[in-house]
Amino acid sequence: MTDIIPDPDFDGFDGIYVGTKDGYSPPPNNINYDTLGAYLRQTGKTFTDLSQEEVDRFKFKPAQK
């Protein structure tokens, strides 16, 4: 990764944009943002306007075994 130019405004940048070198990764996405975005455009709402029940409708369903 010697071709990367470090950002001089962020001294702690380690060249990894998602996660860290120690193996940490952000939690997986559990919301279908494609359909949620269409719903927001259709209703004229913003994400902060949604109730928890509305957000839950767009969560991915767990895999059936």
Side-chain angles (χ1 to χ4, degrees), residues 13-29:
F13 181 65
D14 63 1
I16 297 176
Y17 291 95
V18 176
T20 61
K21 288 182 180 179
D22 64 2
Y24 169 78
S25 294
N29 174 29

Side-chain angles (χ1 to χ4, degrees), residues 5-63:
I5 300 171
D7 182 354
D9 295 330
F10 186 70
D11 294 332
F13 181 65
D14 63 1
I16 297 176
Y17 291 95
V18 176
T20 61
K21 288 182 180 179
D22 64 2
Y24 169 78
S25 294
N29 174 29
N30 66 346
I31 296 177
N32 186 339
Y33 287 107
D34 289 337
T35 56
L36 176 60
Y39 176 77
L40 293 175
R41 285 188 296 277
Q42 180 183 10
T43 61
K45 294 183 177 183
T46 64
F47 187 78
T48 56
D49 295 334
L50 299 177
S51 66
Q52 187 60 47
E53 291 80 24
E54 286 176 301
V55 173
D56 290 343
R57 287 192 298 173
F58 298 100
K59 289 189 176 181
F60 292 116
K61 306 289 187 262

